[in-house]
Amino acid sequence: MVRGKRTKPGKDFKSGYAILLGRPNAGKSTLLNAMLGEEISIVTPKPQTTRNRILGIATTDDYQVIFLDTPGVVRSERGLKAFLAREIQRAMADADVIVLLVEPFGEPKPSERELIEKLKKLNRPVVLAINKVDKVKKENLLPLMELYQELHAWQAIVPVSALKKNGVEAVLAEVVKAMPTGPMYYPPDQFTDATERFIVAEMIREQVFRQTRQEIPFSSAVLVQSFKEFEGIVHIAAEIFVEREGQKGIVIGKNGEMLKRIGTAARQKIETFLGRKVFLELYAKVKKDWTRSESKMREVGYQ
Ligand code: GDP
Ligand code: MG
């Protein structure tokens, strides 16, 4: 991405919010990172690991697009899932342009059809990005594009491989095309409004998933307790909250080996991100059934 240098945008300058919607694992975080050229949203092979809203900001001389990453389409239930569903509703209402990400493996799923119906009522431009096209043959892609063509008056349908970075620029171009003219909301060199603390917590949480390989996408939260820099080293202490003793055992591992692995892998990523040396201390703690209670969710860092 070419970063803008001009601070006074002209009258044709385009700006606004764009959100990425789609089922868990569709590739939203991967696409966002590819469009921004920065790793600000965590990407994992397991669904629903992105929880909070992350703004990614793409600025050039001609536009500023403020992206919102969402945790994927979730059905309303109590506790955490209801919270996520509300967040998505709010994000949809705020967006100037919506990017719907789907996978190219067959017909749209019922939850995707439901979402498309909602989008129709919202009356906003929607770019349909058919992702992971590196995994399908061209002759299977065309009928799929025709099928989607029937479902909605899309701003555009763009085949893309977020992973191989093919078609990423085309998605961004369509988003910009549909943006209204407007001011520059953020300084041109700012690429996110997520705090360093938040990104660090996400990087640790990503390693909890990657290293433990446990299907516990809803059961861990990371809270950064302290974040201080002295003598050129960033000292970070963070707590990893899980729901049960058994999960704590998994996170700590035999002789603390798992926690050490999580820490080492996370520290390397954090050092690259911050561009400084990092000393990372991790603690695993149980907060019983925290995903089921909104007050406990606040205690582990959800506002
Ligand atoms: P999200 O849940 O929608 O944010 O999905 P992620 O961005 O976390 O991606 C989920 C998984 O799909 C990860 O393993 C990605 O590497 C993978 N993925 C994302 N985009 C592509 C793509 O274009 N091609 C392929 N083959 N895999 C992809
Ligand atoms: Mg994601």
PDB file of all heavy atoms in Angstrom, residues 23-30 41-44 46-51 69-72, ligand 2:
ATOM      1  N   ARG A  23     -18.556 -15.858   7.120  1.00  0.00           N
ATOM      2  CA  ARG A  23     -18.502 -16.923   8.111  1.00  0.00           C
ATOM      3  C   ARG A  23     -17.099 -17.011   8.707  1.00  0.00           C
ATOM      4  O   ARG A  23     -16.137 -16.621   8.066  1.00  0.00           O
ATOM      5  CB  ARG A  23     -18.867 -18.261   7.443  1.00  0.00           C
ATOM      6  CG  ARG A  23     -20.359 -18.408   7.147  1.00  0.00           C
ATOM      7  CD  ARG A  23     -20.595 -19.476   6.104  1.00  0.00           C
ATOM      8  NE  ARG A  23     -19.954 -20.733   6.476  1.00  0.00           N
ATOM      9  CZ  ARG A  23     -20.519 -21.642   7.274  1.00  0.00           C
ATOM     10  NH1 ARG A  23     -21.695 -21.443   7.786  1.00  0.00           N
ATOM     11  NH2 ARG A  23     -19.879 -22.753   7.547  1.00  0.00           N
ATOM     12  N   PRO A  24     -17.025 -17.571   9.933  1.00  0.00           N
ATOM     13  CA  PRO A  24     -15.706 -17.789  10.521  1.00  0.00           C
ATOM     14  C   PRO A  24     -14.844 -18.586   9.550  1.00  0.00           C
ATOM     15  O   PRO A  24     -15.345 -19.494   8.881  1.00  0.00           O
ATOM     16  CB  PRO A  24     -16.009 -18.634  11.763  1.00  0.00           C
ATOM     17  CG  PRO A  24     -17.426 -18.344  12.098  1.00  0.00           C
ATOM     18  CD  PRO A  24     -18.117 -18.011  10.803  1.00  0.00           C
ATOM     19  N   ASN A  25     -13.582 -18.216   9.438  1.00  0.00           N
ATOM     20  CA  ASN A  25     -12.645 -18.954   8.601  1.00  0.00           C
ATOM     21  C   ASN A  25     -12.713 -18.601   7.108  1.00  0.00           C
ATOM     22  O   ASN A  25     -12.007 -19.194   6.302  1.00  0.00           O
ATOM     23  CB  ASN A  25     -12.856 -20.466   8.768  1.00  0.00           C
ATOM     24  CG  ASN A  25     -11.581 -21.156   9.166  1.00  0.00           C
ATOM     25  OD1 ASN A  25     -10.691 -20.510   9.730  1.00  0.00           O
ATOM     26  ND2 ASN A  25     -11.465 -22.422   8.863  1.00  0.00           N
ATOM     27  N   ALA A  26     -13.582 -17.671   6.738  1.00  0.00           N
ATOM     28  CA  ALA A  26     -13.694 -17.295   5.326  1.00  0.00           C
ATOM     29  C   ALA A  26     -12.418 -16.603   4.835  1.00  0.00           C
ATOM     30  O   ALA A  26     -12.124 -16.603   3.637  1.00  0.00           O
ATOM     31  CB  ALA A  26     -14.898 -16.384   5.109  1.00  0.00           C
ATOM     32  N   GLY A  27     -11.669 -16.029   5.768  1.00  0.00           N
ATOM     33  CA  GLY A  27     -10.421 -15.362   5.386  1.00  0.00           C
ATOM     34  C   GLY A  27     -10.444 -13.853   5.577  1.00  0.00           C
ATOM     35  O   GLY A  27      -9.652 -13.123   4.981  1.00  0.00           O
ATOM     36  N   LYS A  28     -11.346 -13.374   6.438  1.00  0.00           N
ATOM     37  CA  LYS A  28     -11.496 -11.930   6.642  1.00  0.00           C
ATOM     38  C   LYS A  28     -10.211 -11.283   7.151  1.00  0.00           C
ATOM     39  O   LYS A  28      -9.771 -10.264   6.625  1.00  0.00           O
ATOM     40  CB  LYS A  28     -12.647 -11.654   7.631  1.00  0.00           C
ATOM     41  CG  LYS A  28     -13.997 -12.129   7.120  1.00  0.00           C
ATOM     42  CD  LYS A  28     -15.090 -11.916   8.139  1.00  0.00           C
ATOM     43  CE  LYS A  28     -14.950 -12.797   9.372  1.00  0.00           C
ATOM     44  NZ  LYS A  28     -15.008 -14.241   9.096  1.00  0.00           N
ATOM     45  N   SER A  29      -9.622 -11.894   8.180  1.00  0.00           N
ATOM     46  CA  SER A  29      -8.410 -11.305   8.749  1.00  0.00           C
ATOM     47  C   SER A  29      -7.261 -11.347   7.741  1.00  0.00           C
ATOM     48  O   SER A  29      -6.496 -10.387   7.624  1.00  0.00           O
ATOM     49  CB  SER A  29      -8.004 -12.053  10.022  1.00  0.00           C
ATOM     50  OG  SER A  29      -9.037 -11.985  10.973  1.00  0.00           O
ATOM     51  N   THR A  30      -7.160 -12.442   7.008  1.00  0.00           N
ATOM     52  CA  THR A  30      -6.105 -12.568   5.995  1.00  0.00           C
ATOM     53  C   THR A  30      -6.255 -11.485   4.927  1.00  0.00           C
ATOM     54  O   THR A  30      -5.288 -10.842   4.528  1.00  0.00           O
ATOM     55  CB  THR A  30      -6.160 -13.963   5.321  1.00  0.00           C
ATOM     56  OG1 THR A  30      -6.198 -14.961   6.341  1.00  0.00           O
ATOM     57  CG2 THR A  30      -4.949 -14.200   4.432  1.00  0.00           C
ATOM     58  N   SER A  41      -4.372  -7.985  12.343  1.00  0.00           N
ATOM     59  CA  SER A  41      -5.501  -8.804  12.736  1.00  0.00           C
ATOM     60  C   SER A  41      -5.012 -10.242  12.802  1.00  0.00           C
ATOM     61  O   SER A  41      -4.324 -10.691  11.913  1.00  0.00           O
ATOM     62  CB  SER A  41      -6.599  -8.672  11.691  1.00  0.00           C
ATOM     63  OG  SER A  41      -7.765  -9.289  12.144  1.00  0.00           O
ATOM     64  N   ILE A  42      -5.316 -10.956  13.846  1.00  0.00           N
ATOM     65  CA  ILE A  42      -4.726 -12.280  13.961  1.00  0.00           C
ATOM     66  C   ILE A  42      -5.370 -13.254  12.984  1.00  0.00           C
ATOM     67  O   ILE A  42      -6.558 -13.209  12.712  1.00  0.00           O
ATOM     68  CB  ILE A  42      -4.763 -12.853  15.392  1.00  0.00           C
ATOM     69  CG1 ILE A  42      -6.169 -13.206  15.853  1.00  0.00           C
ATOM     70  CG2 ILE A  42      -4.069 -11.917  16.357  1.00  0.00           C
ATOM     71  CD1 ILE A  42      -6.158 -14.049  17.113  1.00  0.00           C
ATOM     72  N   VAL A  43      -4.552 -14.108  12.436  1.00  0.00           N
ATOM     73  CA  VAL A  43      -5.005 -15.065  11.443  1.00  0.00           C
ATOM     74  C   VAL A  43      -4.674 -16.452  11.956  1.00  0.00           C
ATOM     75  O   VAL A  43      -3.535 -16.751  12.252  1.00  0.00           O
ATOM     76  CB  VAL A  43      -4.271 -14.844  10.106  1.00  0.00           C
ATOM     77  CG1 VAL A  43      -4.731 -15.861   9.082  1.00  0.00           C
ATOM     78  CG2 VAL A  43      -4.520 -13.435   9.603  1.00  0.00           C
ATOM     79  N   THR A  44      -5.663 -17.286  12.098  1.00  0.00           N
ATOM     80  CA  THR A  44      -5.390 -18.643  12.554  1.00  0.00           C
ATOM     81  C   THR A  44      -6.243 -19.614  11.762  1.00  0.00           C
ATOM     82  O   THR A  44      -7.247 -19.243  11.172  1.00  0.00           O
ATOM     83  CB  THR A  44      -5.756 -18.839  14.040  1.00  0.00           C
ATOM     84  OG1 THR A  44      -7.181 -18.848  14.147  1.00  0.00           O
ATOM     85  CG2 THR A  44      -5.183 -17.759  14.919  1.00  0.00           C
ATOM     86  N   LYS A  46      -8.144 -21.744  12.930  1.00  0.00           N
ATOM     87  CA  LYS A  46      -9.339 -22.101  13.695  1.00  0.00           C
ATOM     88  C   LYS A  46     -10.348 -20.954  13.670  1.00  0.00           C
ATOM     89  O   LYS A  46      -9.978 -19.796  13.688  1.00  0.00           O
ATOM     90  CB  LYS A  46      -8.965 -22.408  15.138  1.00  0.00           C
ATOM     91  CG  LYS A  46      -8.074 -23.629  15.220  1.00  0.00           C
ATOM     92  CD  LYS A  46      -8.185 -24.279  16.564  1.00  0.00           C
ATOM     93  CE  LYS A  46      -7.501 -25.609  16.571  1.00  0.00           C
ATOM     94  NZ  LYS A  46      -6.081 -25.518  16.247  1.00  0.00           N
ATOM     95  N   PRO A  47     -11.645 -21.317  13.614  1.00  0.00           N
ATOM     96  CA  PRO A  47     -12.655 -20.259  13.486  1.00  0.00           C
ATOM     97  C   PRO A  47     -12.821 -19.392  14.728  1.00  0.00           C
ATOM     98  O   PRO A  47     -12.497 -19.793  15.832  1.00  0.00           O
ATOM     99  CB  PRO A  47     -13.941 -21.024  13.213  1.00  0.00           C
ATOM    100  CG  PRO A  47     -13.701 -22.402  13.670  1.00  0.00           C
ATOM    101  CD  PRO A  47     -12.236 -22.656  13.595  1.00  0.00           C
ATOM    102  N   GLN A  48     -13.351 -18.209  14.505  1.00  0.00           N
ATOM    103  CA  GLN A  48     -13.765 -17.294  15.561  1.00  0.00           C
ATOM    104  C   GLN A  48     -12.700 -16.947  16.574  1.00  0.00           C
ATOM    105  O   GLN A  48     -12.915 -17.010  17.773  1.00  0.00           O
ATOM    106  CB  GLN A  48     -14.996 -17.841  16.270  1.00  0.00           C
ATOM    107  CG  GLN A  48     -16.184 -17.743  15.354  1.00  0.00           C
ATOM    108  CD  GLN A  48     -17.450 -18.240  15.976  1.00  0.00           C
ATOM    109  OE1 GLN A  48     -17.451 -18.770  17.064  1.00  0.00           O
ATOM    110  NE2 GLN A  48     -18.541 -18.076  15.264  1.00  0.00           N
ATOM    111  N   THR A  49     -11.549 -16.578  16.084  1.00  0.00           N
ATOM    112  CA  THR A  49     -10.524 -16.154  17.011  1.00  0.00           C
ATOM    113  C   THR A  49     -10.396 -14.633  17.052  1.00  0.00           C
ATOM    114  O   THR A  49      -9.716 -14.095  17.882  1.00  0.00           O
ATOM    115  CB  THR A  49      -9.162 -16.757  16.649  1.00  0.00           C
ATOM    116  OG1 THR A  49      -8.942 -16.526  15.283  1.00  0.00           O
ATOM    117  CG2 THR A  49      -9.126 -18.218  16.952  1.00  0.00           C
ATOM    118  N   THR A  50     -11.064 -13.966  16.105  1.00  0.00           N
ATOM    119  CA  THR A  50     -11.023 -12.510  16.144  1.00  0.00           C
ATOM    120  C   THR A  50     -12.249 -12.049  16.902  1.00  0.00           C
ATOM    121  O   THR A  50     -13.356 -12.319  16.514  1.00  0.00           O
ATOM    122  CB  THR A  50     -11.092 -11.915  14.729  1.00  0.00           C
ATOM    123  OG1 THR A  50     -10.116 -12.549  13.939  1.00  0.00           O
ATOM    124  CG2 THR A  50     -10.834 -10.427  14.758  1.00  0.00           C
ATOM    125  N   ARG A  51     -12.071 -11.341  17.979  1.00  0.00           N
ATOM    126  CA  ARG A  51     -13.225 -11.008  18.794  1.00  0.00           C
ATOM    127  C   ARG A  51     -13.562  -9.535  18.823  1.00  0.00           C
ATOM    128  O   ARG A  51     -14.696  -9.151  18.692  1.00  0.00           O
ATOM    129  CB  ARG A  51     -12.983 -11.472  20.214  1.00  0.00           C
ATOM    130  CG  ARG A  51     -13.414 -12.880  20.355  1.00  0.00           C
ATOM    131  CD  ARG A  51     -13.830 -13.148  21.745  1.00  0.00           C
ATOM    132  NE  ARG A  51     -13.686 -14.569  21.964  1.00  0.00           N
ATOM    133  CZ  ARG A  51     -12.817 -15.068  22.790  1.00  0.00           C
ATOM    134  NH1 ARG A  51     -12.044 -14.290  23.491  1.00  0.00           N
ATOM    135  NH2 ARG A  51     -12.736 -16.350  22.930  1.00  0.00           N
ATOM    136  N   ASP A  69     -12.803  -5.272  11.187  1.00  0.00           N
ATOM    137  CA  ASP A  69     -12.779  -6.727  11.085  1.00  0.00           C
ATOM    138  C   ASP A  69     -13.810  -7.260  12.071  1.00  0.00           C
ATOM    139  O   ASP A  69     -13.925  -6.755  13.167  1.00  0.00           O
ATOM    140  CB  ASP A  69     -11.381  -7.238  11.458  1.00  0.00           C
ATOM    141  CG  ASP A  69     -11.210  -8.710  11.155  1.00  0.00           C
ATOM    142  OD1 ASP A  69     -11.961  -9.232  10.308  1.00  0.00           O
ATOM    143  OD2 ASP A  69     -10.328  -9.323  11.752  1.00  0.00           O
ATOM    144  N   THR A  70     -14.583  -8.226  11.660  1.00  0.00           N
ATOM    145  CA  THR A  70     -15.603  -8.760  12.566  1.00  0.00           C
ATOM    146  C   THR A  70     -15.317 -10.225  12.862  1.00  0.00           C
ATOM    147  O   THR A  70     -14.589 -10.879  12.141  1.00  0.00           O
ATOM    148  CB  THR A  70     -17.012  -8.652  11.947  1.00  0.00           C
ATOM    149  OG1 THR A  70     -17.064  -9.506  10.810  1.00  0.00           O
ATOM    150  CG2 THR A  70     -17.334  -7.234  11.567  1.00  0.00           C
ATOM    151  N   PRO A  71     -15.894 -10.747  13.937  1.00  0.00           N
ATOM    152  CA  PRO A  71     -15.599 -12.126  14.322  1.00  0.00           C
ATOM    153  C   PRO A  71     -16.329 -13.172  13.489  1.00  0.00           C
ATOM    154  O   PRO A  71     -16.253 -14.340  13.778  1.00  0.00           O
ATOM    155  CB  PRO A  71     -16.064 -12.199  15.772  1.00  0.00           C
ATOM    156  CG  PRO A  71     -16.824 -10.971  16.036  1.00  0.00           C
ATOM    157  CD  PRO A  71     -16.783 -10.082  14.866  1.00  0.00           C
ATOM    158  N   GLY A  72     -17.028 -12.792  12.481  1.00  0.00           N
ATOM    159  CA  GLY A  72     -17.740 -13.795  11.694  1.00  0.00           C
ATOM    160  C   GLY A  72     -19.203 -13.798  12.075  1.00  0.00           C
ATOM    161  O   GLY A  72     -19.592 -13.268  13.099  1.00  0.00           O
TER     162      GLY A  72
HETATM  163 MG    MG B   2     -10.618 -13.263  11.714  1.00  0.00          MG
END
